[in-house]
Amino acid sequence: MSSQILLLPGDGIGPEVVREARRVLEAADAQFSLELSFSEGRLGGIAVDEEGAAYPDATRALARDADAILLGAVGGPQWDALPAADRPERGLLAIRADLDLFCNHRPALLFPDLAEASSLRAELVAGLDVLIVRELTGGIYFGEPRGIATDADGVREGYNTDRYSETEIRRIGRLAFEAAQKRSGRLCSVDKANVLEVTMLWRETMEALSADYPDVALSHMYVDNAAMQLVREPKQFDVLVTGNLFGDILSDIAAMLTGSIGMLPSASLNADAKGLYEPVHGSAPDIAGTDSANPLATILSAAMLLRYSLNAPEAAAAVEGAVASVLAQGLRTADLIVDGSHAAPIGTRAMGDAVVAALQCH
Ligand code: IPM
Ligand code: MG
């Protein structure tokens, strides 16, 4: 049975990194007979410019039909002056909400050859393998009321609402417990239950759920401490589960530990395991079009797509193995080069070529 993959390259470096990931998927298809077919749509700033909306109807129709979606990145300075509701980022939030992609997996895995590129000492990150499970369709990103209001004196006030129902907490919690069962059996739930009622309920609900998972050791941590512990002793963590905003912040920290934010993939899944796969990095407008972006986070996102949505674990492992092999060969995009080293960076396309070649000799 063939699988329909929707590509949403988006803005900035998005088109460059998605192009390389597509080539890798095509090479995997040739090798593993996956019968992939590709379609392409617009999301984000490009969609605002060309179709007048960040998540246009045409893209919505393609997204609903696709078996899986691979996204580049959205946003850029040329759209910063737009009203909040029309910005490219809202397109990303809209597709996450439309497809109910509430479960975001952000694995932070250190490839052994990149230990030197981490912002922490090599011994603190050697063997690092942390999974952040981020709730993606609730919390302060979506809570109402929200807005900017002007009072009688003409003073403006901005406000957002952080809210989670027990139902929302339970469904992300269950998937996080299940993920922990498949790994080391340790789950750390991150909240700010010393201050915020919404996360007091989060903690209570996670605690209640843990009765159903006696084989998982649940712990709780306040988000400020979790941020500190991630840069102090990251290997203490296995699976972290948290809400939308905290997950956004903690996953950028975790990314840096693995050498570069250019390495971190993600999968956003709904209850039917339909998924949208995207690198954790943004659109990096400053380097867009210069053939210097690191395509590996998108290529690793494509590997997650193969594993979670297409049930092709061998192909996924082959892609991940190909990435490990190019890193072992010493190939580096500019973001992976440590100050003071004499290595010469290679470009986006050359990195894609190297992964395709490594996959072919797999
Ligand atoms: C991410 C990004 C997005 C988010 C932005 C681009 C809306 O930072 O996926 O981490 O905040 O979720
Ligand atoms: Mg982010």
Side-chain angles (χ1 to χ4, degrees), residues 74 89 92-93 96 106 134 141 248 278 280:
V74 301
E89 290 80 0
L92 184 53
L93 300 189
R96 289 172 178 171
R106 297 191 161 189
R134 170 188 176 193
Y141 271 54
D248 180 46
E278 54 174 319
V280 169

Side-chain angles (χ1 to χ4, degrees), residues 120-135:
L120 295 189
R121 289 196 307 281
E123 71 265 23
L124 287 175
V125 291
L128 181 75
D129 179 1
V130 175
L131 173 66
I132 297 183
V133 179
R134 170 188 176 193
E135 200 293 327

Side-chain angles (χ1 to χ4, degrees), residues 81-84 147-159:
L82 289 176
I148 299 177
T150 308
D151 74 10
D153 301 323
V155 178
R156 293 186 303 154
E157 182 191 28
Y159 56 96

Side-chain angles (χ1 to χ4, degrees), residues 146 321 362:
R146 64 190 297 158
H362 166 78

Side-chain angles (χ1 to χ4, degrees), residues 139-318:
I140 197 165
Y141 271 54
F142 291 92
E144 299 284 347
R146 64 190 297 158
I148 299 177
T150 308
D151 74 10
D153 301 323
V155 178
R156 293 186 303 154
E157 182 191 28
Y159 56 96
N160 291 86
T161 308
D162 198 359
R163 55 197 312 158
Y164 272 115
S165 72
E166 288 176 294
T167 317
E168 288 174 297
I169 302 168
R170 266 190 224 115
R171 69 176 184 172
I172 189 73
R174 289 208 179 279
L175 294 184
F177 275 102
E178 285 166 21
Q181 278 177 326
K182 292 189 197 123
R183 294 170 52 109
S184 75
R186 285 180 299 124
L187 176 64
C188 178
S189 171
V190 176
D191 60 40
K192 188 71 188 173
N194 50 347
V195 179
L196 303 175
E197 284 83 352
V198 56
T199 72
M200 292 171 193
L201 182 67
W202 178 282
R203 185 177 284 220
E204 237 176 65
T205 309
M206 288 293 167
E207 199 55 51
L209 265 186
S210 74
D212 292 348
Y213 302 90
D215 49 341
V216 175
L218 174 69
S219 61
H220 304 276
M221 201 178 273
Y222 298 138
V223 63
D224 47 351
N225 187 24
M228 180 177 75
Q229 295 300 334
L230 269 174
V231 295
R232 194 182 76 89
E233 201 195 326
K235 284 191 274 183
Q236 70 184 279
F237 296 113
D238 184 34
V239 183
L240 289 162
V241 60
T242 190
N244 209 338
L245 180 62
F246 298 162
D248 180 46
I249 298 167
L250 295 180
S251 59
D252 268 31
I253 299 179
M256 206 53 231
L257 306 180
T258 68
S260 164
I261 193 158
M263 291 302 301
L264 220 73
S266 82
S268 308
L269 306 169
N270 68 16
D272 309 318
K274 175 154 178 164
L276 178 145
Y277 301 82
E278 54 174 319
V280 169
H281 63 67
S283 59
D286 51 322
I287 59 164
T290 63
D291 191 45
S292 53
N294 182 351
L296 294 179
T298 314
I299 290 170
L300 292 169
S301 301
M304 294 183 88
L305 179 157
L306 293 169
R307 180 171 287 115
Y308 291 133
S309 284
L310 305 193
N311 197 18
E314 284 176 13

